[in-house]
Amino acid sequence: MQFLFEIVDILTTYVRKTFDRSTKVLDFHHPHQLLEGMEGFNLELSDQPESLEQILVDCRDTLKYGVRTGHPRFFNQLSTGLDIIGLAGEWLTSTANTNMFTYEIAPVFVLMEQLTLKKMREIVGWPEGEGDGIFSPGGAISNMYSVMIARYKYFPEVKTKGMAAAPRLVLFTSEHSHYSIKKASAALGFGTENLILLKTDERWVADASHMRAAGCGYVPMFVNATGGSTVYGAFDPINEIADICEKYNMWLHVDGAWGGGLLMSRKHRHKLNGIERANSVTWNPHKMMGVPLQCSAILVRERGVLQGCNSMCAGYLFQPDKQYDISYDTGDKAIQCGRHVDIFKFWLMWKAKGTVGFEQHIDKCLDLSAYLYNKIKTREGYQMVFEGEVLLKILFPSSICPLSRAQVAPKIKALMMECGTTMVGYQPQGTKVNFFRMVISNPAATRSDIDFLIDEIERLGYDL
Amino acid sequence: MQFLFEIVDILTTYVRKTFDRSTKVLDFHHPHQLLEGMEGFNLELSDQPESLEQILVDCRDTLKYGVRTGHPRFFNQLSTGLDIIGLAGEWLTSTANTNMFTYEIAPVFVLMEQLTLKKMREIVGWPEGEGDGIFSPGGAISNMYSVMIARYKYFPEVKTKGMAAAPRLVLFTSEHSHYSIKKASAALGFGTENLILLKTDERWVADASHMRAAGCGYVPMFVNATGGSTVYGAFDPINEIADICEKYNMWLHVDGAWGGGLLMSRKHRHKLNGIERANSVTWNPHKMMGVPLQCSAILVRERGVLQGCNSMCAGYLFQPDKQYDISYDTGDKAIQCGRHVDIFKFWLMWKAKGTVGFEQHIDKCLDLSAYLYNKIKTREGYQMVFEGEVLLKILFPSSICPLSRAQVAPKIKALMMECGTTMVGYQPQGTKVNFFRMVISNPAATRSDIDFLIDEIERLGYDL
């Protein structure tokens, strides 16, 4: 137990430093450097045990050479921040070390999941929160669920007879949607060529007329509308897409992995107008809402279809003759057998912040985002890649240095990582060369951190 | 930070009690009781925040009404135990709160995963540990990977063109294999009818002659051999199956989710003889090896096929112009985008125990299992469901009470949960009525705990 207290000491020191702006975001080393071993930090596994003292050193070093994703100046990923209540929740989950498949061994967690999913469905706007859902290991798997469920709804015989039992099916998504829709098409046996990538107009929204035209000769089955795209943070026009889905009897899925959090904000939820017409929704509290990784929900409007799609009635887990109401054994809805407890940290954060707390967090992030957008818009040396009201702000340093435009962002990012002062992603997209992609979801970030980032980009840019 | 220390206080008290045999394994309540609220423990989410004091109470109550899966008398699941080093590792992972998709934000964890997977492949017996692999959210997903990879290997065009591009494919597994093979057949578009469930002989091993006969008219593609079946803990004859796979050019997968841990024991690894001939292997350290949930690997003998199967080259994550060797960005191999850090706790436990420590743990579990087997075999009132040298021991109370045979186990289990003194699973299988299914993987369990279980079954049985 003394060992656990020493670990906690290491961890709380790390947490404190994470929020301290005078510490670095990361201490970068190349893979070969870490593999060769750093001052007594040796990654190799051995036959003989190490001492507990060495284990503590290993823990300290693991954190030392890692990245502080909760640092107020870490803007690199859609999931950032380090919520203390969420962290406590995750420690508790690890300590309880149980599994979500049956009420039998996770009674409290199963009920928390059920209540929280219902609340989320209410917020989506489904009458009385009716429907179904499950927490899954991330948005990609949640999106995969949506395609599977849609197929089961329209062609249930595929479950037993395979894709040969269905006509040639076509799926739709915008060219700016998350790549997991493509992964799902490949994995589930549709084929990526049968996923039609819809062109987007200048506002980067799925073009409905393209969708109408694309289905000819095949059976159009599924449309993914993106609520907060990964790169631009843009929103597809859900109501417009829903009209088409109703007309052609297609499944409407909304991938709100990133943008779903806006549903918590009365001020901003209008961006997802029409989401209540979706058949299924992906919503990752581990992104915009700042819950520790992993926490991703797939919500389904119709009851029974998730269960029907996946159930195999394994006798060793889901016995019908248990002493309690077995409708609480939800494991047979999942494509997993064992399932990590992802709900508790989220439930605990919700208790601690209340719905209003999440709303304040979302509003604050959007305010910061507007601050950055306005700052960059009028600033020399930058060019906005994407105009308009969006969730992520995109900036592009175009004339700071003599490198080719495509090299600027990677070069600055590399210097940034070597300095370890801040961290932000970049990427090309279509004909656009590398640009910075700025993410604001960390509750610890302030305007001064945004200012710092801009200054740092310029400082590093002038050094090139 | 004070709050975190108070949480730790709650958690360490819980850990202490977990190992204390005078505490209950669980404090059972029906779902409706917990939903109605228990003495101030209210699961409902509210709009307004709760106080930190109430959050601490909520944490205490969550643990109070849960199940102590690490208790020495918890024998209910394939994953049991509460390893302190593993727990510390999981706390650290939660605190680092990062994501496995790129070296950029998980440098140390990515390297740990790489080294550990290589070590596991060496132990499987692939030359120099060559090959590939990834940690996935559980054995069911690992098994799903194996089917996907096999399909990509033989019919790569399915990735783009869908199942229509392949002939009618047939998969094989034994009737006692885990239900995830069936889930994968349904999900990936093969259809459960195209999964042939092989009959098993009295030793419950896959009958090779059935497999030879079953493929007529279809293209046989994939065989799953189970290394430690879920219910009986039995082993399919891998070498015999490998001969057939070689002859018919089929992919051989070994599902060692449960039994894979035996590879760590020189004394017992012979049960998996032939595993080195497999094309892929599922191996869950979170089961037999006592690592906290979730920790499951899919290992692949051939390099490149995992990447080829799943890669979609998302520009916003896997930029080709990073400053480090991008072969360490392994995220595009996964069907997930974000991926929880499952490796650290395992790596840390391996450091702390050494390979020899895992071997001792496995040998101890198998010794306990033999102890139970021999005890039951000669004891009045029980009947062994499955004879022979197996991993799990099966016992069946046949003449303790006047209930029908099928009712005995559920009734005793219900009483057991209400008393909260111990916990063990039951189930029917084929023509066999409900029997107890005993799992031994908890390092804290001793012979006296086995004795206790038997006594408790009899005590509760006589009360019926």
Side-chain angles (χ1 to χ4, degrees), chain B residues 200-213:
Chain B
T200 49
D201 66 17
E202 58 175 13
R203 285 291 313 274
W204 303 109
V205 294
D207 182 332
S209 66
H210 279 87
M211 190 155 55
R212 284 191 196 92

Side-chain angles (χ1 to χ4, degrees), chain B residues 401-413:
Chain B
C401 79
L403 291 172
S404 86
R405 281 161 51 105
Q407 289 173 304
V408 174
K411 193 70 199 159
I412 291 178
K413 165 81 178 253

